[in-house]
Amino acid sequence: MTASVFFGCTFIAFGPAIALFLFTIARDPLRVIFLIAGAFFWLCSLLLSSLVWFITVQISNKESSSQQKGLLIFGVVLSVLLQETCRFGYYKLLKKANEGLLMLSAEETMPISIRQLAYVSGLGFGFMSGAFSMVNILADSVGPGTIGIHGDSQHYFLSSAFMTMAIILLHMFWGVVFFDSCEKQHWWSLAVVVISHLLVSCLTFQNPQYVGSLVPTYIIVFLVGLWAFFCSGGSLRNLKLCLTCKDKDFLLANHRPR
Amino acid sequence: MGLESSKWAIIFLVCWLYKNVSCNSVEQKIYVELNNTVPCVRLLNATHQIGCQSSISGDTGVIHVLESEEDLEWPLSKGPNPPYMVLLESSLFTRSIMMKMKNESNRVAGVAVVVPNTSPPEFSPHTTCPNENTGVYSDNYGPNLAHCNTTVWNPRGNGLSYEEFDFPVFSLKEDNETEFIKQCYLDHNRAVNGSAPQYPLCAMQLFSHMHAVTNTPTCMRRNDINFSINPEMVCDPLGDYNVWGSIRPYNDTVFGHKENESVVIAAARLDSRAFFWEVSTGAEGSVSGFVTLLAAAQALREVTHEAPPTRNILFAFFQGETFDYIGSSRMVYDMENGKFVIDLDNIHSVLEIGQVALHSGNNLFLHSDPVSRRNNTVNDVVKNLVNNLQSSTAGLGFLLVEPNVSQPLPPSSLQRFLRAQPIPGIVLADHESAFNNRYYESFYDNAANLNLTYPSDLSPEEQLEFVTHTAESLTDVATVVARALYKQAGGDESRVNTIKADPKIVTQMLYGFLVSSNNSWFQAVMAPELKNILKPSPPEYYVGVAMSSTPTRLVQYLLANLTGAATNLTQSQCQKPDELPNESRQMYSYLWVQGIVPPNSTERDSFCVRASVRLTKAVSPAFELGEYASKDYSTWTESRWKFIKARIFLVASRDLEMLTLGVGVAVLFTSLLVTYFISTKADVLFSSTREPASAAY
């Protein structure tokens, strides 16, 4: 549409991710490295799933639209499963790497905890996923035209941006929950992560009824976010302490060396 | 081995995938590209620039389909969403509407003209007095005849082609794309009961950014700037090649005056133009003239072999005449400076074929220059030529008449010869004063203008052979021209009546030049490497800058086939004929042509044609001399451009865009604040009493 739409959609989609990166990751090079590695793992999963989808599309009957729709659903499900598989693979790799790092480093404690790794890897997955969802749409939003000449809805850019923001946040939350449940061997919560990912992806089939896909997605974001908060050691008591600014005494009492 | 083969398998797979990728991108949902558009481009001369220009990133405007001249108020003053892209039907493409839009050009982003298949009653975007400053008439030579004071040659001309517009003007055909545009306008842009139409609105964007500005000296100076390894050229001079051929061959390496050589020149012009770039059909303006001359050359072939006339006859086809006589001024310049095989003193007389296809009534007119005829010698030769012409019409059903008032020559190449030296000459035309051509130098000057119609049940090959009325009348004119040229060249009087032009050849030429150039006859006379220039549509007659104009090549090969001789040379001998004892490349040109496909065969019967047909460069002498501001010679150049395209899409309102930006900035700030808050309080938020003591953040 123009530069204002381009910047607006970029900020909406990547605003939280940029804020998180700036304040929590950018200072620590180790976290940056693991972020990029996480992004790379997501990219591998995308490559595999797109290869499979592409081959099946070439084999299939291009004229039949119901077959194409079915193929699309198959592709989405396969992609979700492959992403989660890659997340599991990354977890295994990180566990091994952590042991190796511990052996090599001079300090006695691990330089980065598995919880932080979970958060960083989830954010890495989110960055790459958001980039692939959003960048080509942003490139076309710079031009003078907007969607609609063939009758499509005008709100495509805005709703894509909001969806991308939701996906990035979700990936981060899923990363935390996933690693935590792998640590604690809670396989059922792993299954819930996979199912919620599938649910969110399948909600996008509601488009162009954007309300029907965005509202449930944001409800899921909120719920998974809460779950991740509790998994990573938060509790309602901590939240109340923070918000009412009574945390200074608490900090002094529970001071630990950084 | 396993690794090697799997590597190859992966490479093969990737290559196959790359080939098969198809894009179903967001861009296709936004933009609809318009493919059948023709732009108007910028041309420059010594003092001015003409034509159209868009800004470098295209001009976008809300589409408005103009219904009448009064409706212009909406885009120019009343409409609430400027700038507008005005869509015009061809009946509204008039000077007054275009000038009004030119004056309010900050509200007009561009113009799109829908060109219909049927022609309006009259339309000529050229000036009323073509080439008025580079002809022979000036304040020193026939001042009362200069600047069309006595006769206005093109009274219907509205001069649009020579105006400068700073918005792009494109032409659209009447097809599905244009219907889609009008439907988009009706769906989104119509104002309901005088209130403003609601966003999103249908808009069009036109790209035709021209690199050259101001005038030719400026753009030629900018061409010479050598900053980098690849200098950017901004404009190119217009020009191509002239085609000339003669009855008796000349040695191509011996230039300048030839003793005791007297030549009759028969001339015609090859090119024409239109308002939009390159779509020029020039049926009456140029095709009628050069087809007649080609037919006359063919008619003279036999008799000049058996009974050669005293003087030589030189057939000259000039390119670039529309743009201040590029071709003829160059030939005269070459003759004056000893760079052509003859010079001006060798010329006995000139007969030029102008526009000859639209004679209403039964007369054609012989125009001559009254100023040079005041000299008795010149006047005698002209009278002799008139007699030869008039006596050649015996038995042919029309008369050749001189106009009864003393009027100047119409715009013709003869004027450039007279500018150098008083040479006796006649211009043959179908108009006594103003042109009969209602579409002079416009895109409507096509086969329909000549009433070239074929019965509807004929296949293309049958149409090629069908002799139309137009072809018959042009054949008669060609016969007259051939007979008069033979007599003028001092040929044997008793043989004159055997000279007859062939109607079959004339009708095949008319078909090839006005309907479809990719027909079997043109394929047979062309060289194998040039067969790609033949297309199912008529060729473009715009002179262009690429020095590879299709009509020049076609006329060269046709003249060679019609006046030359087929030889027995093989293809390699045809390329190096000097090795053979009787052949000389200096005297003749040797062209390898495809030939016809014999029945029961798929191979063409190619052969070598030997003809005294040559090409000479037709670029204005102003560019040879470096006088880019010359007043004597043509200084026309065409600007260069990167790309030209057009597309339509919907535009959203400014408010929605600003809202999106506002929401984005708000989201960014909120998330920065929240994240800062969380990260500073992270110890508190994420601590847990069950945590082991050795954990660290």
Side-chain angles (χ1 to χ4, degrees):
Chain A
M1 269 149 87
T2 43
S4 43
V5 169
F6 171 76
F7 282 114
C9 287
T10 312
F11 292 153
I12 291 175
F14 293 106
I18 292 173
L20 286 165
F21 180 80
L22 273 179
F23 284 122
T24 58
I25 296 186
R27 295 244 183 94
D28 188 351
L30 206 57
R31 292 186 192 181
V32 173
I33 292 170
F34 284 116
L35 179 92
I36 294 177
F40 174 74
F41 267 76
W42 188 88
L43 206 55
C44 283
S45 82
L46 182 73
L47 181 67
L48 283 170
S49 56
S50 60
L51 208 67
V52 172
W53 182 75
F54 191 80
I55 293 175
T56 48
V57 162
Q58 291 300 318
I59 296 174
S60 78
N61 174 13
K62 295 218 174 100
E63 302 300 316
S64 145
S65 68
S66 67
Q67 212 181 60
Q68 293 298 312
K69 180 106 178 160
L71 224 68
L72 195 62
I73 296 176
F74 163 70
V76 165
V77 169
L78 178 72
S79 171
V80 166
L81 294 175
L82 276 175
Q83 283 176 46
E84 298 302 331
T85 312
C86 276
R87 210 198 293 272
F88 187 71
Y90 192 41
Y91 167 75
K92 282 285 181 211
L93 188 71
L94 285 179
K95 289 293 280 183
K96 279 214 187 125
N98 245 351
E99 290 164 19
L101 272 175
L102 197 57
M103 274 200 289
L104 285 174
S105 76
E107 296 170 24
E108 287 183 2
T109 54
M110 290 203 289
I112 183 166
S113 78
I114 200 75
R115 194 170 284 165
Q116 289 165 32
L117 277 177
Y119 158 68
V120 160
S121 77
L123 194 58
F125 268 54
F127 260 118
M128 199 45 106
S129 165
F132 267 79
S133 306
M134 203 57 196
V135 164
N136 85 324
I137 298 175
L138 285 176
D140 286 319
S141 73
V142 173
T146 183
I147 298 229
I149 198 163
H150 293 294
D152 307 301
S153 157
Q154 254 206 98
H155 299 111
Y156 182 71
F157 291 128
L158 260 183
S159 54
S160 301
F162 277 109
M163 194 66 187
T164 307
M165 173 166 79
I167 294 278
I168 295 179
L169 291 173
L170 272 174
H171 268 295
M172 184 180 71
F173 298 144
W174 283 327
V176 171
V177 175
F178 194 96
F179 278 38
D180 189 62
S181 41
C182 281
E183 285 286 298
K184 296 184 182 141
Q185 315 264 332
H186 288 162
W187 303 119
W188 60 269
S189 51
L190 209 65
V192 172
V193 165
V194 176
I195 288 173
S196 66
H197 192 167
L198 275 172
L199 187 62
V200 168
S201 294
C202 290
L203 273 174
T204 59
F205 284 113
Q206 294 265 38
N207 293 339
Q209 263 90 351
Y210 296 124
V211 174
S213 71
L214 278 177
V215 168
T217 306
Y218 271 90
I219 293 174
I220 295 179
V221 170
F222 181 67
L223 290 173
V224 179
L226 267 181
W227 188 11
F229 178 65
F230 284 122
C231 270
S232 58
S235 62
L236 277 177
R237 192 173 135 257
N238 292 346
L239 193 60
K240 249 195 299 189
L241 276 174
C242 265
L243 288 176
T244 54
C245 294
K246 289 225 187 86
D247 52 318
K248 293 206 178 46
D249 303 328
F250 184 76
L251 269 180
L252 278 172
N254 288 319
H255 180 67
R256 283 172 174 78
R258 288 192 83 98
Chain B
M1 183 55 197
L3 195 61
E4 181 78 20
S5 65
S6 68
K7 190 173 75 173
W8 279 112
I10 288 175
I11 290 174
F12 175 70
L13 192 65
V14 166
C15 292
W16 176 66
L17 289 175
Y18 188 72
K19 180 179 84 69
N20 279 333
V21 164
S22 73
C23 245
N24 190 7
S25 72
V26 180
E27 203 177 348
Q28 289 174 348
K29 284 189 193 282
I30 307 180
Y31 301 109
V32 174
E33 300 280 338
L34 302 174
N35 290 324
N36 299 332
T37 56
V38 183
C40 130
V41 301
R42 175 172 277 173
L43 296 166
L44 306 101
N45 71 359
T47 48
H48 288 88
Q49 58 182 14
I50 64 173
C52 322
Q53 160 85 322
S54 83
S55 59
I56 194 161
S57 51
D59 281 323
T60 313
V62 174
I63 298 179
H64 178 74
V65 175
L66 203 68
E67 282 147 26
S68 64
E69 190 155 350
E70 290 75 33
D71 196 23
L72 256 187
E73 265 189 347
W74 181 262
L76 294 187
S77 49
K78 274 186 4 192
N81 320 107
Y84 284 93
M85 186 71 69
V86 181
L87 198 75
L88 295 176
E89 298 291 331
S90 71
S91 55
L92 291 169
F93 186 49
T94 61
R95 190 183 169 84
S96 68
I97 290 183
M98 291 300 286
M99 287 294 123
K100 280 191 195 161
M101 287 199 282
K102 179 178 161 166
N103 288 335
E104 287 285 338
S105 61
N106 55 335
R107 280 184 65 109
V108 175
V111 175
V113 179
V114 180
V115 175
N117 295 328
T118 55
S119 311
E122 62 180 37
F123 179 76
S124 171
H126 209 78
T127 49
T128 49
C129 198
N131 291 345
E132 65 182 298
N133 293 321
T134 41
V136 66
Y137 301 106
S138 63
D139 296 332
N140 299 331
Y141 188 104
N144 55 325
L145 302 169
H147 302 298
C148 293
N149 278 335
T150 31
T151 322
V152 178
W153 296 110
N154 187 26
R156 302 175 184 92
N158 56 27
L160 274 178
S161 290
Y162 288 83
E163 289 289 335
E164 184 201 339
F165 297 102
D166 56 8
F167 47 77
V169 181
F170 274 55
S171 89
L172 306 167
K173 292 207 196 92
E174 229 176 31
D175 57 3
N176 289 339
E177 269 182 6
T178 315
E179 274 313 305
F180 185 76
I181 297 173
K182 288 186 187 163
Q183 191 57 43
C184 185
Y185 166 76
L186 289 171
D187 289 338
H188 295 103
N189 292 11
R190 290 280 258 189
V192 178
N193 292 340
S195 67
Q198 294 291 325
Y199 274 100
L201 296 174
C202 199
M204 183 169 1
Q205 186 176 33
L206 299 177
F207 295 84
S208 67
H209 179 71
M210 301 286 140
H211 293 331
V213 283
T214 322
N215 54 30
T216 296
T218 309
C219 88
M220 294 304 283
R221 186 184 74 225
R222 289 182 187 179
N223 273 351
D224 286 336
I225 296 176
N226 283 330
F227 273 150
S228 66
I229 303 173
N230 295 329
E232 280 279 320
M233 303 278 279
V234 292
C235 68
D236 300 290
L238 288 178
D240 194 53
Y241 292 95
N242 293 328
V243 181
W244 69 267
S246 55
I247 307 273
R248 288 200 299 267
Y250 285 114
N251 189 331
D252 201 30
T253 52
V254 177
F255 297 139
H257 185 78
K258 294 218 159 36
E259 283 301 321
N260 296 334
E261 184 81 12
S262 179
V263 181
V264 176
I265 294 189
R269 81 172 209 199
L270 280 178
D271 73 315
S272 76
R273 70 163 299 193
F275 181 80
F276 296 105
W277 182 59
E278 250 195 6
V279 284
S280 44
T281 41
E284 158 78 341
S286 50
V287 176
S288 61
F290 74 72
V291 162
T292 310
L293 192 56
L294 280 171
Q298 190 270 334
L300 280 173
R301 167 166 138 185
E302 219 178 277
V303 72
T304 49
H305 279 312
E306 293 168 11
T310 348
R311 300 190 184 99
N312 202 354
I313 305 178
L314 190 133
F315 302 101
F317 298 86
F318 296 116
Q319 263 283 16
E321 297 299 275
T322 320
F323 291 101
D324 290 337
Y325 306 121
I326 297 177
S328 52
S329 66
R330 180 55 185 261
M331 183 172 275
V332 170
Y333 172 80
D334 285 344
M335 285 182 183
E336 281 175 325
N337 290 302
K339 292 186 194 155
F340 193 65
V341 293
I342 55 171
D343 86 345
L344 290 166
D345 296 320
N346 289 123
I347 302 180
H348 175 261
S349 49
V350 175
L351 173 62
E352 180 167 342
I353 324 285
Q355 306 177 67
V356 290
L358 287 181
H359 43 121
S360 52
N362 283 329
N363 290 344
L364 286 171
F365 298 92
L366 305 172
H367 297 267
S368 56
D369 170 42
V371 175
S372 62
R373 281 180 83 170
R374 291 182 202 150
N375 178 328
N376 284 333
T377 352
V378 173
N379 196 22
D380 288 337
V381 180
V382 174
K383 278 206 202 139
N384 191 19
L385 181 51
V386 169
N387 277 338
N388 285 336
L389 279 161
Q390 286 175 333
S391 57
S392 307
T393 61
L396 282 175
F398 62 89
L399 292 176
L400 294 176
V401 173
E402 285 191 82
N404 34 11
V405 292
S406 163
Q407 65 178 3
L409 280 175
S412 52
S413 318
L414 177 58
Q415 290 200 21
R416 291 302 302 199
F417 284 89
L418 284 170
R419 229 172 127 116
Q421 191 161 306
I423 294 178
I426 290 277
V427 176
L428 179 64
D430 57 23
H431 53 91
E432 184 172 5
S433 53
F435 293 154
N436 286 342
N437 190 355
R438 288 171 295 156
Y439 310 108
Y440 185 63
E441 310 288 24
S442 91
F443 36 90
Y444 298 116
D445 190 7
N446 49 19
N449 191 20
L450 295 186
N451 275 335
L452 198 68
T453 48
Y454 297 91
S456 47
D457 52 343
L458 294 182
S459 72
E461 281 306 308
E462 287 165 1
Q463 282 181 355
L464 177 68
E465 311 271 320
F466 181 79
V467 180
T468 53
H469 290 300
T470 324
E472 281 171 356
S473 83
L474 280 183
T475 313
D476 291 339
V477 178
T479 309
V480 169
V481 166
R483 288 180 184 172
L485 282 173
Y486 188 67
K487 281 189 268 191
Q488 187 74 359
D492 187 358
E493 285 284 335
S494 59
R495 290 179 166 252
V496 168
N497 286 336
T498 61
I499 300 175
K500 278 200 175 56
D502 187 354
K504 192 146 161 296
I505 289 189
V506 173
T507 196
Q508 283 179 324
M509 282 198 285
L510 282 178
Y511 182 81
F513 283 115
L514 293 175
V515 180
S516 163
S517 58
N518 192 13
N519 54 62
S520 57
W521 189 52
F522 275 18
Q523 283 168 358
V525 302
M526 287 299 281
E529 64 266 14
L530 289 175
K531 64 173 188 272
N532 291 332
I533 66 174
L534 299 178
K535 300 209 161 52
S537 54
E540 309 288 359
Y541 294 93
Y542 174 62
V543 61
V545 298
M547 306 289 275
S548 61
S549 154
T550 309
T552 312
R553 294 284 163 187
L554 283 171
V555 167
Q556 177 198 13
Y557 276 81
L558 277 173
L559 190 63
N561 274 285
L562 294 175
T563 58
T567 61
N568 287 336
L569 277 57
T570 63
Q571 189 167 6
S572 51
Q573 284 173 333
C574 203
Q575 282 162 352
K576 290 199 171 76
D578 291 321
E579 294 163 9
L580 294 165
N582 288 336
E583 315 285 2
S584 159
R585 209 190 230 163
Q586 292 174 344
M587 300 299 284
Y588 295 98
S589 61
Y590 292 84
L591 304 168
W592 184 257
V593 301
Q594 284 193 113
I596 56 171
V597 183
N600 304 336
S601 165
T602 49
E603 285 290 311
R604 284 194 179 268
D605 227 352
S606 305
F607 60 96
C608 187
V609 170
R610 177 185 63 217
S612 58
V613 169
R614 303 273 182 203
L615 294 177
T616 59
K617 217 161 157 199
V619 177
S620 170
F623 296 100
E624 298 292 311
L625 298 167
E627 289 169 18
Y628 303 128
S630 164
K631 290 196 179 26
D632 299 322
Y633 299 112
S634 163
T635 48
W636 285 103
T637 51
E638 183 190 85
S639 166
R640 284 205 186 185
W641 58 84
K642 278 262 158 58
F643 54 81
I644 290 188
K645 56 181 187 171
R647 57 186 184 179
I648 60 169
F649 44 86
L650 295 188
V651 280
S653 66
R654 200 108 180 97
D655 299 336
L656 187 61
E657 295 173 6
M658 286 298 143
L659 181 70
T660 313
L661 183 64
V663 169
V665 171
V667 165
L668 183 67
F669 272 132
T670 318
S671 50
L672 282 170
L673 277 172
V674 169
T675 314
Y676 178 70
F677 175 73
I678 293 179
S679 76
T680 48
K681 308 274 177 115
D683 295 346
V684 179
L685 273 175
F686 296 113
S687 70
S688 164
T689 52
R690 291 167 284 148
E691 216 180 279
S694 58
Y697 276 102

